Amino acid sequence: MIPRSLLLLRGVRSQPSTRLSPTFPSFTPMSKRHYGQSRPVPATFYRGGTSKALLFNDADLPPSREERDALFLSAMGSPDPNGRQLDGMGGGYSSVSKVAVVGKSEQGGADVDYTFCQVRVDEPVVDYAGNCGNMLAAVGPFALETGLVPPHPTERGNLVRIFNTNTSKLIHALFPADGTRPLLSGGYTIDGVSGSHARISLEFLNPHGSRTGRFLPTGHVVDTLDLGEWGVVQASLVDCGNPCAFVLASDVGMSGTETPAEIKGDVLAKLNALRNAASVAMGLTGTMAEADKKRSVPKVVVLSPPSEHAVLSGAVLGREDTDVVCRCISAGDPHRALPITAALCTAAAAQVPGTLVAKVARRGDDGIVIGHASGTIAVDARVEQTPQGWEVPSASVFRTARKLFEGNVFVDEVEELDP
């Protein structure tokens, strides 16, 4: 069994030099482990967009993937059969069970590397298959304040150039700063987050083909997917930011305006079967069984036309407030807002004739406003048709971030059993 964490918050460090330098014993197979005292690992806890994650400096982590996975699972409190992650920093569902690893980059045109790690709540799994756009909002401020990058002031804010290792794509983050100090207070608001904060601009460069190498992985604007016991369904399979499978709400027995809590039972099972079938069709996995173990991508986006309906806060969206309404399944769970990468993919797909998104969405000259379970998000994407196919030179969105604590997270020490 993978360990779960005992987490204690110890003070607040004021300078990077006060970070504890952890020592990591050699990796011990699960069958020869027992768990003793906890040990501290430097970490920072951030909200980024509508997600939360522990952020680690790559230099503070052990070298092997297996050791890192055990550390992340312990820190987040996974696996938890109760689904609450009370023994860790996780919050019991996918958008708050995340880890980000940030380190200096050797990639051309990048300042830092960012690896996103989706920690499964109820299973001992850390999934590296996709990018998290929401947590990107925290990566730039974290890199600046921890000394991973020097200040790079521009007319639009401090620039940090981020290479996402999950998708091998570049993202530019721009945010207010005073020297090496990010200025994250401000008057900008995003739906799904209470209060106002500084606006952070995220500009995705050539986000198409993030995992498959093509904007339309199958070459079709609409595919028919066989879901086994759930029948067949039409879907648009698009890869921009992250791979996404778009489906009409009416084709999966939904109105399209459900709250996350209302997406359950047979409907959720059908949507997860759709994700598995889309994964195989897009070439992300070889079988439905393999796809079921890699839940972070593709995202499943359920589409419906603009309508008047209530969101989680109780506010009511009018028909004129949105250009399209979406509900999203991310990592197997109904998302309480919309993953940023899914929003980018929606904005791009809306511009490609024949896709289900283009058939449902209104499209203006200044981007698209997408309705989600917590409100709306405005996204813009530049889409071009080339001899090589559809391409997206750039896409942009605004987010906010807030640092919640910095210090040390305590994870289970692993000791080897005597033979």
Side-chain angles (χ1 to χ4, degrees), residues 278-411:
S279 177
V280 174
M282 299 171 91
L284 296 169
T285 53
T287 66
M288 296 278 277
E290 182 186 355
D292 195 52
K293 296 177 181 178
K294 297 181 178 181
R295 300 179 186 172
S296 61
V297 292
K299 311 295 184 187
V300 177
V301 183
V302 182
L303 305 165
S304 62
S307 63
E308 183 175 303
H309 62 279
V311 296
L312 289 172
S313 66
V316 176
L317 292 182
R319 293 177 60 88
E320 300 305 315
D321 293 333
T322 65
D323 297 312
V324 65
V325 175
C326 294
R327 295 294 182 264
C328 184
I329 307 301
S330 179
D333 294 331
H335 202 283
R336 297 179 68 83
L338 189 64
I340 292 303
T341 51
L344 298 181
C345 200
T346 303
Q351 299 179 57
V352 177
T355 67
L356 296 179
V357 188
K359 292 179 179 179
V360 173
R362 293 190 295 242
R363 173 69 190 175
D365 295 330
D366 54 351
I368 188 172
V369 178
I370 304 168
H372 55 73
S374 290
T376 64
I377 180 172
V379 192
D380 195 17
R382 185 160 61 92
V383 180
E384 298 176 353
Q385 189 170 21
T386 73
Q388 290 73 40
W390 291 97
E391 297 183 355
V392 184
S394 64
S396 60
V397 66
F398 296 130
R399 294 280 85 185
T400 66
R402 182 186 177 203
K403 182 168 67 175
L404 303 174
F405 87 74
E406 62 181 1
N408 298 288
V409 62
F410 281 70
V411 298

Side-chain angles (χ1 to χ4, degrees), residues 97-347:
S97 183
K98 298 182 174 185
V99 166
V101 180
V102 186
K104 291 185 177 181
S105 182
E106 297 181 357
Q107 298 288 332
D111 301 312
V112 294
D113 289 342
Y114 155 54
T115 300
F116 170 62
C117 317
Q118 179 71 62
V119 180
R120 196 79 56 83
V121 173
D122 57 349
E123 296 182 70
V125 174
V126 181
D127 192 338
Y128 296 82
N131 183 12
C132 176
N134 272 299
M135 288 314 305
L136 270 165
V139 172
F142 174 82
L144 179 65
E145 69 179 353
T146 56
L148 286 169
V149 296
H152 186 171
T154 74
E155 292 182 355
R156 299 171 55 210
N158 189 85
L159 170 65
V160 177
R161 303 171 301 171
I162 302 164
F163 179 78
N164 176 242
T165 65
N166 308 81
T167 60
S168 297
K169 296 293 184 179
L170 280 170
I171 302 96
H172 288 179
L174 290 147
F175 54 91
D178 180 9
T180 61
R181 185 167 66 96
L183 303 177
L184 299 182
S185 298
Y188 190 73
T189 62
I190 60 173
D191 286 342
V193 176
S194 59
S196 63
H197 304 81
R199 190 177 76 173
I200 298 173
S201 174
L202 299 175
E203 300 178 355
F204 293 72
L205 308 182
N206 298 302
H208 58 278
S210 67
R211 291 294 313 283
T212 67
R214 302 177 66 186
F215 181 80
L216 296 173
T218 66
H220 307 134
V221 290
V222 176
D223 286 275
T224 299
L225 301 179
D226 185 351
L227 310 187
E229 65 177 300
W230 302 107
V232 297
V233 68
Q234 287 193 319
S236 289
L237 308 181
V238 184
D239 184 0
C240 184
N242 265 327
C244 291
F246 295 95
V247 63
L248 299 180
S250 56
D251 286 348
V252 289
M254 294 176 60
S255 68
T257 61
E258 288 86 352
T259 65
E262 292 171 334
I263 305 173
K264 57 186 178 180
D266 287 349
V267 170
L268 183 58
K270 185 172 185 176
L271 293 174
N272 281 321
L274 189 154
R275 181 201 63 236
N276 294 343
S279 177
V280 174
M282 299 171 91
L284 296 169
T285 53
T287 66
M288 296 278 277
E290 182 186 355
D292 195 52
K293 296 177 181 178
K294 297 181 178 181
R295 300 179 186 172
S296 61
V297 292
K299 311 295 184 187
V300 177
V301 183
V302 182
L303 305 165
S304 62
S307 63
E308 183 175 303
H309 62 279
V311 296
L312 289 172
S313 66
V316 176
L317 292 182
R319 293 177 60 88
E320 300 305 315
D321 293 333
T322 65
D323 297 312
V324 65
V325 175
C326 294
R327 295 294 182 264
C328 184
I329 307 301
S330 179
D333 294 331
H335 202 283
R336 297 179 68 83
L338 189 64
I340 292 303
T341 51
L344 298 181
C345 200
T346 303

